[in-house]
Amino acid sequence: MMRNNSGNYRNPCLTMHQPWASLLVHGIKRIEGRSWPSPIRGRLWIHAASKVPDQSTIQAMEYFYKEIYALDGITDVTFPQHYPVSRLLGCVEVVGCLKREELAGWEMLPQGVRLEAQTDHCWLCESPQKLLIPFEMRGYQGVYNLERKIYEAAVRGLSPVNSPLPVKFPLPNPRDPFSLKPGSISALTPDLKPAEVDRSSSISVAIAGARAAATQFTKKDQNSQTTARENASDQMNSNLEDAEIGRSYNLRSRSRPTEEDDNILSSTTSNKKFDDGASRSHHEVKSSGNKNEGSSSHNQSHNADWKQYLQPPTKGTREYKEKSSSDKYEGSNQLNRSQGAEADLRQYPQGSSKVFAAALKSLKQ
């Protein structure tokens, strides 16, 4: 299922909350109200969202339609027995879209239809059809295209619906099927004003209840969209920060490690495993190793440096003699407190006094 924001709709579908979705497919609801104009004309598939409707919301909307149908003499309205969710329910024909003020003042329409004008843009719906077996599927925001397999199966399972009061919306220009659009009615009737409708106390209560029921979902949709935008912004900022950190690290890794870089690495090691004394020991041993071994892989990264110099030196080398010198390594007491240094001392105990004397003599030279 792919959303299509470009307007190239093949089998357009709209996800709606219950009970509005079933009321539209069953022909009871004739106006689909939105804050944005309809992007399509023709068949529109209706999908029910996953939110299970509250019983109070169902009662408020059923009461609303009972009252507005009663204005046109319809007292027997059969409502759906069930309001399924996460299902493709059926389809309607969208023949046009008008502003609220235009629809409310269009005297050619029944009073009940004009009272359905409660939103900025009113999608005019005719010829409802329902699926005998609603299809379980996932919905999306806005208008999107049905998958071809779902469409081919759904179009074979449609059944016409007997509406309580079928309505045909007359086109301002019968030759133009797209002539019902915002501004088209007011252009024909410049002095268009909302018609006076005898609103009893029950009608006023019904309208207030319908508005309250619709407002709860409007607020939730706005909050969810705001939260999604904030999360996307936070994720983007986090990705940019990670990319900048990685870029900075890669630049340092490709260059020759410096004393400043090693100090930064030492300060950021978890639990500060290596202190200043260990860092100085690292630099001295590193300098000696570069002179004697000339290894090119020694300078590839800071992690390789640490791993290499945590290993005990080979006995008989200059590094081993320097490690044994207490004068040369002033920070050895602090390093010995770490776990790695303790392991080195257990594996390489101190040599005899002759060894220390020879090491001191070579250092003085």
Side-chain angles (χ1 to χ4, degrees):
M1 190 94 41
M2 299 296 293
R3 280 188 289 183
N4 191 325
N5 296 322
S6 63
N8 184 20
Y9 300 106
R10 300 182 302 276
N11 303 302
C13 183
L14 179 67
T15 294
M16 300 173 55
H17 289 291
Q18 290 285 29
W20 293 271
S22 289
L23 292 174
L24 185 61
V25 169
H26 282 75
I28 299 172
K29 178 179 170 66
R30 296 153 293 189
I31 304 297
E32 169 54 19
R34 293 278 155 169
S35 60
W36 38 282
S38 172
I40 62 104
R41 296 292 188 275
R43 176 178 285 173
L44 176 65
W45 293 91
I46 304 300
H47 171 260
S50 60
K51 175 70 168 61
V52 178
D54 298 331
Q55 189 61 32
S56 59
T57 301
I58 296 175
Q59 293 175 352
M61 294 310 303
E62 290 182 351
Y63 178 69
F64 170 74
Y65 282 103
K66 281 181 181 179
E67 293 296 325
I68 66 174
Y69 270 95
L71 293 175
D72 298 316
I74 307 298
T75 57
D76 185 14
V77 180
T78 303
F79 293 98
Q81 296 182 353
H82 305 285
Y83 292 93
V85 296
S86 299
R87 296 289 191 280
L88 184 66
L89 303 180
C91 64
V92 295
E93 293 289 325
V94 178
V95 298
C97 179
L98 295 178
K99 291 284 189 69
R100 173 175 50 191
E101 297 78 10
E102 291 183 286
L103 180 61
W106 199 2
E107 295 184 356
M108 296 180 64
L109 300 178
Q111 292 183 352
V113 177
R114 283 179 277 162
L115 284 179
E116 289 190 59
Q118 301 294 331
T119 55
D120 293 339
H121 293 86
C122 303
W123 300 13
L124 314 179
C125 301
E126 297 178 353
S127 307
Q129 300 182 76
K130 66 178 182 179
L131 286 172
L132 298 178
I133 302 177
F135 291 172
E136 182 177 3
M137 58 169 269
R138 177 185 177 185
Y140 299 90
Q141 290 184 348
V143 179
Y144 53 92
N145 283 325
L146 281 181
E147 290 182 1
R148 184 174 182 84
K149 292 182 179 180
I150 295 179
Y151 167 76
E152 292 175 350
V155 76
R156 294 193 297 265
L158 289 174
S159 175
V161 173
N162 295 323
S163 303
L165 182 61
V167 176
K168 286 291 182 181
F169 298 94
L171 296 174
N173 183 3
R175 297 181 179 180
D176 183 6
F178 301 97
S179 59
L180 264 178
K181 54 187 178 181
S184 60
I185 303 301
S186 58
L188 296 176
T189 310
D191 298 330
L192 184 66
K193 294 181 180 179
E196 292 295 333
V197 178
D198 183 16
R199 296 190 181 185
S200 61
S201 59
S202 59
I203 286 290
S204 299
V205 171
I207 293 175
R211 287 178 176 175
T215 301
Q216 62 174 319
F217 292 102
T218 302
K219 291 181 178 179
K220 289 180 179 179
D221 291 342
Q222 292 175 350
N223 293 336
S224 62
Q225 293 175 6
T226 301
T227 302
R229 286 194 296 267
E230 291 176 351
N231 291 339
S233 178
D234 294 342
Q235 183 65 31
M236 181 179 297
N237 293 335
S238 177
N239 292 339
L240 290 175
E241 292 176 359
D242 293 343
E244 184 63 24
I245 292 173
R247 175 176 173 273
S248 177
Y249 177 78
N250 289 334
L251 290 175
R252 291 198 305 268
S253 298
R254 287 194 295 267
S255 63
R256 179 182 178 88
T258 63
E259 182 176 357
E260 181 182 0
D261 293 334
D262 289 333
N263 289 335
I264 294 175
L265 180 61
S266 177
S267 63
T268 56
T269 305
S270 60
N271 299 323
K272 296 184 178 180
K273 185 175 181 180
F274 303 101
D275 54 17
D276 294 338
S279 180
R280 289 194 298 269
S281 300
H282 161 70
H283 285 298
E284 293 168 358
V285 177
K286 175 182 173 183
S287 176
S288 176
N290 285 337
K291 293 179 180 179
N292 294 329
E293 299 177 0
S295 175
S296 59
S297 61
H298 167 73
N299 294 321
Q300 290 180 356
S301 66
H302 299 289
N303 293 333
D305 291 340
W306 287 114
K307 292 179 180 179
Q308 180 179 352
Y309 291 109
L310 284 178
Q311 298 297 327
T314 305
K315 186 173 180 180
T317 62
R318 182 178 179 182
E319 291 87 341
Y320 181 80
K321 295 178 181 180
E322 292 177 350
K323 182 176 179 64
S324 304
S325 175
S326 59
D327 293 336
K328 186 65 178 179
Y329 295 89
E330 298 176 358
S332 60
N333 292 334
Q334 296 178 355
L335 183 62
N336 290 342
R337 288 196 294 268
S338 65
Q339 182 177 356
E342 292 175 356
D344 291 340
L345 290 177
R346 288 194 299 269
Q347 185 175 356
Y348 297 93
Q350 294 184 354
S352 61
S353 58
K354 293 182 180 181
V355 175
F356 279 100
L360 289 174
K361 182 178 180 180
S362 63
L363 288 175
K364 291 179 180 180
Q365 293 176 353

